[in-house]
């Protein structure tokens, strides 16, 4: 890509989606070999959708970005049809607790930096649609991250406010980058330039 100043810039690729492991336990009292059909449905949906049939392992890896953000239920139907004639095969099912899928990073906004005596202060508003916040931190000029506490003392809501206070900052221009993580591990970023 070319920037307005005409210099070349490079876009760094993000890593591909992570995998979510769905696992379950099943035993047959007669020791028959079991096969599984795996279904899912969204919290706001009525019908089960077949995700995979005739699994012989009690686990399944799912790309975590194949489903939109929201709560999902997974249902496993176990059958001993591999060891019995169709008329004698039996099956049982289990529906697990809801699973939250959250792939969307939080929205993080930073106020313009302001001087308060010798200190520099930046107000940060952070909001996430899917899950609550777990931590917020900032970095000055790409140096190590420094933790920031939520204004209410606990970083645990889907909307949080933070106050970054830097007591000593050398003269000159500085880049302050703010990063807030939600419970799913998504990070939202904001920046402020101090001159």
């Amino acid at each position: 890509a070319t920037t307005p100043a005409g210099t070349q810039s490079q876009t760094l690729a993000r890593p591909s989606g992570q995998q979510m492991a769905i696992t379950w336990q099943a035993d047959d009292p007669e020791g028959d070999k079991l096969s599984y059909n795996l279904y899912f449905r969204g919290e706001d949906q009525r019908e089960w959708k077949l995700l995979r049939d005739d699994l012989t392992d009690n686990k399944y890896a799912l790309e975590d970005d194949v489903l939109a953000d929201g709560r999902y239920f997974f249902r496993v139907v176990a059958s001993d049809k591999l060891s019995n004639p169709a008329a004698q095969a039996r099956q049982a099912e289990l529906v697990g607790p809801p699973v939250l899928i959250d792939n969307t990073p939080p929205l993080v906004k930073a106020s313009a930096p302001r001087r308060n005596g010798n200190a520099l202060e930046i107000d940060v508003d952070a909001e996430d649609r899917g899950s609550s916040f777990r931590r917020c931190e900032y970095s000055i000029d790409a140096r190590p991250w420094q933790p920031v506490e939520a204004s209410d003392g606990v970083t645990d809501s889907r909307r949080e406010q933070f106050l970054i206070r830097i007591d000593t900052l050398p003269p000159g221009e500085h880049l302050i980058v703010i990063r807030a993580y939600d419970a799913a591990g998504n990070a939202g970023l904001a920046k402020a330039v101090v001159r």
Side-chain angles (χ1 to χ4, degrees):
T2 303
T3 64
T7 58
Q8 294 287 344
S9 67
Q10 180 179 353
T11 302
L12 298 177
R14 290 183 62 190
S16 60
Q18 303 271 342
Q19 288 192 333
M20 177 176 65
I22 303 166
T23 62
W24 58 91
Q25 284 187 311
D27 293 305
D28 185 274
E30 291 144 13
D32 291 341
K33 185 170 177 134
L34 298 175
S35 67
Y36 309 99
N37 289 352
L38 180 61
Y39 299 83
F40 78 96
R41 73 171 174 80
E43 186 176 47
D44 58 346
Q45 299 166 0
R46 292 186 302 239
E47 296 182 12
W48 291 100
K49 287 99 180 145
L50 179 65
L51 187 58
R52 186 73 191 266
D53 61 352
D54 294 329
L55 292 163
T56 53
D57 283 334
N58 62 343
K59 62 186 175 205
Y60 182 74
L62 179 69
E63 295 290 328
D64 70 357
D65 56 1
V66 75
L67 297 172
D69 288 1
R71 291 189 187 280
Y72 292 86
F73 292 92
F74 292 91
R75 180 178 76 165
V76 176
V77 178
S79 171
D80 62 1
K81 66 183 180 182
L82 297 176
S83 300
N84 294 288
Q88 296 175 352
R90 302 175 83 182
Q91 68 180 35
E93 69 176 62
L94 172 69
V95 176
V99 174
L100 175 65
I101 304 288
D102 180 2
N103 292 308
T104 305
L107 180 61
V108 180
K109 295 180 183 174
S111 71
R114 65 181 180 279
R115 297 277 177 190
N116 184 354
N118 290 334
L120 180 82
E121 294 181 346
I122 301 169
D123 292 310
V124 177
D125 286 313
E127 187 171 359
D128 192 79
R129 292 183 329 197
S131 55
S132 57
F133 282 95
R134 287 296 174 256
R135 76 178 192 267
C136 182
E137 53 199 6
Y138 71 93
S139 170
I140 302 172
D141 297 331
R143 291 196 173 92
W145 295 98
Q146 303 296 317
V148 184
E149 282 193 27
S151 296
D152 66 3
V154 182
T155 306
D156 64 350
S157 301
R158 291 192 344 192
R159 181 165 192 166
E160 292 285 0
Q161 294 182 324
F162 303 90
L163 173 63
I164 295 174
R165 182 180 170 91
I166 302 168
D167 290 320
T168 56
L169 191 64
E173 184 178 79
H174 299 281
L175 173 65
I176 314 293
V177 175
I178 300 105
R179 180 169 70 180
Y181 283 95
D182 65 16
N186 301 307
L189 296 165
K191 72 175 182 177
V193 176
V194 179
R195 292 186 170 93

